[in-house]
Structure formats: C-alpha cells, structure tokens
C-alpha cells in the first residue's frame, strides 16, 4: 500500500489545532486509532505534521471477532509509517452498559499507555459531525449549559484536534492518501441514540451545519467556564460551615449559580450524589419558600439562609 501524505492546508489546520490545545509547546501525542476514517486521517495528519512526537494505540475491547484483525490493520499501517503502535486490551470482559463500560475501559487503557510511554497528551478523533450529533442529542434530552457544550475540545490530557474537520473532509483525506478505512458494523446499529441521530441527519433535509454546531458548542463551553468561575466566587463568599451543617446565603445569587453551589454542597455532604435536574429545581423552589426537602441523604432547610446536613439515619 502506497501512502500519499495529506495536503498542506489540512496539515496546517491540524498543526494549528495542536499548538492551540497543547499551549504551543513541542508536546508529544498518543493517538487513539481505531482504523475508521476519523482516526486514520488523524494518524495521517499527525504523521505529516509532527512525525517525531507521536505514537499510537488501538483498543480491542473484545466485543467483536473482527476487532483483532482491525487492530492488526492499524498496526501494519503504523509500521509502514514508522509510527510506534500498541494494541491494548482490557484485562476483564466488558459487561453491563456496553457503550459506557467500553468507553471507560478505553480511556483507562489509553491513560495507562500514555503514562508508560511518557507521552504528554492523548488525541482522539472526534470531529465536527460528532459535535453536531452530540449537541442535538443533548437538546433532545433537555440538557443544560454544560451538556450543550458537547464534546469538549480538551479534558485534562485528552485533546480533540479533529473537531475542526467534518466527516466528509476526513474521508477525503483518507481517499487522497490511498488508505481504505475500516467500516465498523456497530455504526449501523440504530438501537444506539447516536447512530439513530446520525441516520436521521443523513436521511432528512435539515438546516444543521457541522461547523456551526462546533461554534455553538464552543460558545456553551465558554459560558460553562464562566459559570464555574462565578460559582467559585459564590462558594467563597456565600458558603460557611456551622458545626455539622453547611450554610448557604443564597439571596443575591442568580438561579443558575444557586443550582451549581447547591450541587457542590450536596456532593460535599454526600459524595457522588447528583440529583436529577427536575428534582434539584423542585428542591430549590421549596427552599426559596422556606420549606424543607430531603435530597438523597441530605436534609435541606430553606429560609433566609439555607442549611444542609446529613439526614438522621432511619431506624430499622
């Protein structure tokens, strides 16, 4: 297989994204490459832009018999490009919610491999069409600002430089380079919400544009960051401890900041507890009226000041 390097503008756009996401340093990247057109185009662009600072890994979750051959296909391409590559497999079978558990296992394996190999960042190939699907799915679920921020361009060591590209552009990069991507049959299973949304977008005339969806998600991500900043200030000025209770002076706080501070208080008293959005809103309304509300194992009491403490243990 003869591999033709990607064209200059695509490589320049990729390099710009990497510089922005890594702070302009000569950062090293572990590329998560599955063999589909998204991650293969990322591999090709990274190889053209920064060949000395990349390695790659393919996660075989063990969920499909074809996955082992697909991982070997990626390994062969990486050998041709002279890019270091590892095949990663979970130590235990994936069970339960397959998408959720597979995602958790995948990121755990990638983080561990990045640590072992000494690479700064992990790059995944989420693209603009993924962002459009995510934003529309979150709207359908009634998500708030954080949810509508969609796929974050950076989360810790995870960076997503391909959000600047559409699926069509990535297919074209693979075609130009002479690389034939793998087609995962699970991408046709419309029992998954994302696949159903993808098929709806492909079969229905609509006004949605992937690049504009990226801009919208970025605006929501900026708004979420600003709200987090405001929540930190509210926590410092409006939250105090009183014995076994946490006190919130919520009078001057906007509704969204009240909600965010309330979530932090609940997590402080009952770590890991996150109430549903409608339950949280009902509790807030009760507290504003001076009432009492039990959220999880947290007793909440309203009035001029809101008081929170662990609820007494129930007698058996």
């Amino acid at each position: 297989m003869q591999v033709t390097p990607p064209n200059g503008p695509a490589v320049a756009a990729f390099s710009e994204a990497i510089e922005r996401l890594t702070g302009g340093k000569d950062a090293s990247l572990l590329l998560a490459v599955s063999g589909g057109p998204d991650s293969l185009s990322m591999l090709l662009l990274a190889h053209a832009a920064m060949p000395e600072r990349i390695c790659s890994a393919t996660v075989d979750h063990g969920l499909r018999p074809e996955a082992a051959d697909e991982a070997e296909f990626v390994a062969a391409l990486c050998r041709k490009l002279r890019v270091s590559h590892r095949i990663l497999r979970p130590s235990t079978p994936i069970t339960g919610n397959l998408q959720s558990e597979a995602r958790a296992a995948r990121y755990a394996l990638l983080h561990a491999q990045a640590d072992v190999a000494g690479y700064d960042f992990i790059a995944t190939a989420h693209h603009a069409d993924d962002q459009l699907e995510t934003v529309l799915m979150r709207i359908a679920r009634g998500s708030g600002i954080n949810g509508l921020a969609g796929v974050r361009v950076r989360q810790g060591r995870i960076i997503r430089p391909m959000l600047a590209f559409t699926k069509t552009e990535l297919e074209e990069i693979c075609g130009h380079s002479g690389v034939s991507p793998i087609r995962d049959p699970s991408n046709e299973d419309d029992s998954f919400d994302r696949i159903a949304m993808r098929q709806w977008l492909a079969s229905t005339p609509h006004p949605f544009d992937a690049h504009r969806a990226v801009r919208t998600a970025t605006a929501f991500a900026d708004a979420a960051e600003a709200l987090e900043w405001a929540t930190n200030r509210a926590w410092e000025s409006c939250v105090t401890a009183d014995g076994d209770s946490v006190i919130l002076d919520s009078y001057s706080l906007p509704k969204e900041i009240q909600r965010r501070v309330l979530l932090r208080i609940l997590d402080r008293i009952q770590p890991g507890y996150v109430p549903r959005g409608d339950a949280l809103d009902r509790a807030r309304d009760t507290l504003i009226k001076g009432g009492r509300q039990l959220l999880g194992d947290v007793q909440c009491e309203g009035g001029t000041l809101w008081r929170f403490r662990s609820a007494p243990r129930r007698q058996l």
Side-chain angles (χ1 to χ4, degrees):
M1 174 176 53
Q2 182 67 34
V3 179
T4 303
N7 62 45
V11 176
F14 178 84
S15 298
E16 181 182 347
I18 293 298
E19 183 174 358
R20 182 176 66 254
L21 293 173
T22 62
K25 301 177 182 178
D26 291 335
S28 55
L29 302 184
L30 168 63
L31 308 173
V33 184
S34 67
D38 318 338
S39 59
L40 285 184
S41 59
M42 179 175 68
L43 171 64
L44 294 167
L45 290 171
H47 179 259
M50 45 188 299
E52 304 301 323
R53 293 185 281 126
I54 60 171
C55 69
S56 65
T58 302
V59 178
D60 175 5
H61 298 94
L63 296 174
R64 295 183 299 111
E66 307 90 350
D69 289 339
E70 293 168 1
E72 290 298 339
F73 165 78
V74 177
L77 175 59
C78 286
R79 285 194 294 271
K80 189 171 191 64
L81 296 175
R82 298 187 178 181
V83 173
S84 173
H85 177 266
R86 290 291 302 273
I87 299 173
L88 309 176
R89 295 183 172 91
S91 58
T92 57
I94 303 295
T95 58
N97 184 320
L98 292 184
Q99 278 198 326
S100 176
E101 294 300 321
R103 182 182 186 278
R106 179 166 62 254
Y107 279 109
L109 288 166
L110 291 170
H111 274 93
Q113 180 60 25
D115 289 339
V116 169
Y119 279 72
D120 301 317
F121 293 93
I122 299 164
T124 69
H126 295 85
H127 50 78
D129 291 81
D130 289 329
Q131 191 69 289
L132 172 59
E133 294 163 4
T134 300
V135 170
L136 292 177
M137 289 165 59
R138 301 282 174 80
I139 290 173
R141 295 170 185 169
S143 296
I145 288 174
N146 283 32
L148 294 176
V151 181
R152 300 300 178 94
V153 68
R154 177 174 171 178
Q155 290 176 298
R157 295 171 71 189
I158 303 292
I159 61 172
R160 299 182 172 100
M162 309 307 287
L163 285 174
F165 298 87
T166 65
K167 179 80 169 182
T168 298
E169 291 168 338
L170 301 185
E171 296 268 11
E172 289 173 352
I173 289 170
C174 289
H176 170 81
S177 299
V179 175
S180 298
I182 293 166
R183 304 296 173 180
D184 183 348
S186 65
N187 286 332
E188 306 301 322
D189 185 353
D190 62 7
S191 65
F192 297 119
D193 289 348
R194 180 173 295 278
I195 306 305
M197 179 62 73
R198 184 174 301 162
Q199 291 180 354
W200 178 82
L201 286 168
S203 62
T204 307
H206 60 78
F208 303 114
D209 176 83
H211 284 303
R212 289 198 293 267
V214 170
R215 292 200 297 271
T216 296
T218 300
F220 275 110
D222 291 343
E225 183 179 349
L227 286 168
E228 187 68 9
W229 180 90
T231 302
N232 290 336
R233 294 332 184 251
W235 182 272
E236 294 169 0
S237 61
C238 300
V239 177
T240 56
D242 180 18
D244 63 351
S245 299
V246 176
I247 308 298
L248 171 60
D249 182 357
S250 67
Y251 178 75
S252 63
L253 299 179
K255 177 180 178 180
E256 180 62 19
I257 303 302
Q258 285 180 346
R259 294 180 74 258
R260 288 170 180 259
V261 173
L262 179 51
L263 283 170
R264 286 196 188 184
I265 291 173
L266 294 173
D267 184 66
R268 175 170 172 171
I269 298 174
Q270 185 181 347
Y273 171 63
V274 181
R276 293 174 60 91
D278 53 354
L280 188 70
D281 287 337
R282 287 196 301 270
R284 175 185 168 274
D285 292 341
T286 298
L287 295 173
I288 288 174
K289 296 173 183 176
R292 294 184 177 183
Q293 177 81 43
L294 185 67
L295 283 173
D297 295 328
V298 181
Q299 182 66 54
C300 313
E301 182 178 334
T304 305
L305 300 175
W306 296 357
R307 180 181 294 269
F308 306 87
R309 61 179 179 274
S310 294
R313 291 187 178 181
R314 298 179 179 86
Q315 297 295 324
L316 299 179

